[in-house]
């Protein structure tokens, strides 16, 4: 890891040292949050502390935080609960939303990557769905959705609003009450916490979607022995991310601005997605005309640089990014975009290494 340059934070993020040490410490004891004995009580304390840390970060009621295995589970839990009543999802959602149900209605995106609000209103009027599911910020492009406006529209037509907040947590403010979010999915491993732990947070709507039944854990809303070490690590990661958020945002803004101007210097015809609307400062997705993203990714990898493309690669075949396609990109554009995503341990030097290597690759090709 030391010799690698990691610029793929939207996929997963290095765990913070303080979190690792807390997690390892807790894993050394047989804690079980449901037991009556002292180790049970100790386990419960860790869970309840983390519940309060998460609730504070997103302005929710502590009792409304339900821990689970991650955002894929949280997204599936909410969508399956509302399946019968009808669900609208935006075209740029993560696959864990798009593929949670057999049938959903897709809300089209504008060319700038935000939900088409006119189309949303027409669909709400025509279909009277039970749920609208729209992510706060996109994992590929970093584009931020106008959640408060979407919430007002959804409410006007009697639909609940679910938001996948995975990429937004710790990067922009999430105020569930002010934004009018009824259900929020979040995940620990995008903010310096451990993998395999996440949460579904309920707003004030009074519905409790449940996917797993069995033991009465997590207020009977999510059965299964709690991953106490993971939950405690999530709580700590969340607290640190929130504490550092403003400083982090300005650092990311500075790094992203440098990166954008250097990219254009290397190749004038590079197109950067999301420049004309609100976007996450840690994410920069761009398209290099006439050079395949696979070629670039492999060449960067040889130089020890880890970045991603938006396209899914299954069995050696590159599928164009559904996010870019929804924004009107051609197959060629949607198959050849590169995503740089930065995070808490990214330094200017990482970007310099990337820029140097990328320039060398472009010159050669
Ligand atoms: N939603 C978004 C926007 C994501 O980026 C991801 C992770 O890639 C997920 C959901 C799934 O999260 P998890 O890995 O916690 O299941």
């Amino acid at each position: 890891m030391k010799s690698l340059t990691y610029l793929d934070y939207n996929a997963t993020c290095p765990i913070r040292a303080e979190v690792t040490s807390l997690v390892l410490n807790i894993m050394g004891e047989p804690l079980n949050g449901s037991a009556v004995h002292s180790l049970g009580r100790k386990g419960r304390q860790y869970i309840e502390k983390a519940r309060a840390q998460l609730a504070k970060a997103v302005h929710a009621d502590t009792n409304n935080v339900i821990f689970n295995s991650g955002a894929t589970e949280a997204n599936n839990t909410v969508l399956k609960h509302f399946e019968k009543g009808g669900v609208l999802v935006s075209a740029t959602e993560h696959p864990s939303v798009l593929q949670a149900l057999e049938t959903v209605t897709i809300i089209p995106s504008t060319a700038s990557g935000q939900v088409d609000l006119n189309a949303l209103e027409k669909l709400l009027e025509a279909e009277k769905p039970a749920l609208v599911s729209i992510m706060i910020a996109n994992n590929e492009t970093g584009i931020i959705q106008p959640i408060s406006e979407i919430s007002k529209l959804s409410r006007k037509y009697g639909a609940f609003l679910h938001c996948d907040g995975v990429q937004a947590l710790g990067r922009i403010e999430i105020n569930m009450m002010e934004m009018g979010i009824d259900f929020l999915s979040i995940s620990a491993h995008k903010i310096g916490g451990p993998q395999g732990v996440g949460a579904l947070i309920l707003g004030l709507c009074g519905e409790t979607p449940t996917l797993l039944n069995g033991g009465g854990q997590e207020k009977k809303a999510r059965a299964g022995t709690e991953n106490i070490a993971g939950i405690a690590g999530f709580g700590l990661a969340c607290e640190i991310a929130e504490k550092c958020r403003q400083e982090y945002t300005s650092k990311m803004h500075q790094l992203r601005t440098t990166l954008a101007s250097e990219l254009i210097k290397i190749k004038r015809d590079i197109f950067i997605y999301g420049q004309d609307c609100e976007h996450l400062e840690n994410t920069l997705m761009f398209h290099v005309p006439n050079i395949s993203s696979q070629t670039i990714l492999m060449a960067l990898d040889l130089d020890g640089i880890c970045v991603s493309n938006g396209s899914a690669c299954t069995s050696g075949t590159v599928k164009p990014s559904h996010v870019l396609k929804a924004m009107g990109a051609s197959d060629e554009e949607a198959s050849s975009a590169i995503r740089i995503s930065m995070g808490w341990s990214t330094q200017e030097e990482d970007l310099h290494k990337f820029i140097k290597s990328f320039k060398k690759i472009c010159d050669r090709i």
Side-chain angles (χ1 to χ4, degrees):
M1 180 72 197
K2 275 227 163 65
S3 60
L4 295 179
T5 300
Y6 189 75
L7 294 168
D8 200 13
Y9 276 70
N10 288 11
T12 198
C13 156
I15 186 163
R16 288 183 187 263
E18 308 91 307
V19 176
T20 308
S21 97
L22 177 68
V23 169
L24 291 178
N25 197 11
I26 296 175
M27 284 180 107
E29 287 185 289
L31 305 182
N32 170 5
S34 306
V36 177
H37 53 67
S38 59
L39 287 177
R41 291 197 302 278
K42 191 170 176 187
R44 172 91 0 237
Q45 274 174 5
Y46 280 123
I47 297 173
E48 296 315 323
K49 179 171 179 190
R51 209 187 296 287
Q53 285 166 316
L54 261 64
K56 188 168 175 212
V58 300
H59 302 258
D61 187 312
T62 304
N63 289 314
N64 289 349
V65 176
I66 302 164
F67 288 108
N68 58 24
S69 67
T72 298
E73 182 185 326
N75 289 343
N76 272 266
T77 303
V78 179
L79 267 79
K80 286 184 197 314
H81 181 79
F82 288 102
E83 184 166 20
K84 282 199 190 110
V87 178
L88 303 186
V89 310
S90 88
T92 59
E93 292 302 305
H94 188 264
S96 56
V97 165
L98 284 172
Q99 293 169 27
L101 305 181
E102 267 179 32
T103 318
V104 286
T105 300
I106 302 287
I107 313 155
S109 166
T110 61
S112 67
Q114 289 184 320
V115 162
D116 181 332
L117 293 175
N118 289 328
L120 170 62
E121 179 149 23
K122 280 193 190 129
L123 286 170
L124 281 163
E125 203 170 10
E127 302 205 1
K128 305 270 181 307
L131 183 76
V132 173
S133 178
I134 294 175
M135 64 198 343
I136 301 179
N138 188 267
N139 46 303
E140 292 187 20
T141 58
I143 289 165
I144 296 173
Q145 297 293 342
I147 294 297
S148 299
E149 285 173 64
I150 292 167
S151 167
K152 277 184 206 132
L153 274 180
S154 305
R155 246 162 247 280
K156 183 173 160 193
Y157 292 93
F160 290 124
L161 175 64
H162 165 244
C163 292
D164 177 333
V166 167
Q167 300 293 344
L169 185 67
R171 295 179 181 152
I172 54 173
E173 181 170 32
I174 304 180
N175 187 326
M176 281 186 75
M177 297 303 141
E178 274 182 12
M179 292 160 90
I181 299 172
D182 295 304
F183 307 99
L184 178 74
S185 303
I186 53 176
S187 181
H189 71 105
K190 313 283 183 171
I191 57 160
Q195 295 180 340
V197 57
L200 169 61
I201 308 191
L202 314 175
L204 296 176
C205 71
E207 294 262 341
T208 306
T210 304
L211 186 65
L212 301 179
N213 297 301
Q217 292 93 347
E218 287 305 282
K219 303 171 192 301
K220 297 200 173 69
R222 200 277 184 176
T225 302
E226 295 96 336
N227 168 6
I228 298 182
I231 289 172
F234 190 8
L236 179 58
C238 201
E239 186 178 300
I240 299 173
E242 269 308 296
K243 212 184 284 169
C244 305
R245 189 161 49 79
Q246 277 181 352
E247 192 190 321
Y248 165 94
T249 308
S250 59
K251 178 178 162 193
M252 291 300 118
H253 176 74
Q254 192 200 336
L255 292 177
R256 192 182 185 282
T257 308
T258 307
L259 179 59
S261 71
E262 291 297 324
L263 282 172
I264 303 293
K265 273 191 224 159
I266 295 170
K267 253 186 148 303
R268 277 177 175 279
D269 52 358
I270 276 178
F271 180 77
I272 300 174
Y273 295 96
Q275 286 297 72
D276 57 351
C277 69
E278 228 194 320
H279 55 254
L280 296 176
E281 294 294 353
N282 81 312
T283 309
L284 190 150
M285 194 183 211
F286 64 96
H287 161 239
V288 193
N290 306 319
I291 309 182
S292 113
S293 63
Q294 288 299 100
T295 307
I296 298 175
L297 288 191
M298 283 188 293
L300 287 169
D301 188 42
L302 288 175
D303 279 349
I305 296 165
C306 309
V307 302
S308 262
N309 54 1
S311 350
C313 181
T314 325
S315 327
T317 320
V318 177
K319 251 177 88 190
S321 152
H322 72 280
V323 175
L324 298 184
K325 290 280 288 176
M327 290 164 64
S330 67
D331 274 352
E332 191 270 319
E333 287 160 350
S335 306
S336 58
I338 305 281
R339 178 187 71 186
I340 309 295
S341 54
M342 305 173 282
W344 66 268
S345 68
T346 308
Q347 301 298 331
E348 236 178 281
E349 199 195 327
D350 297 316
L351 288 193
H352 291 150
K353 281 192 189 149
F354 165 76
I355 289 160
K356 195 169 154 209
S357 172
F358 180 66
K359 181 170 182 341
K360 186 181 72 181
I361 296 162
C362 289
D363 288 348
R364 200 172 61 217
I365 296 172

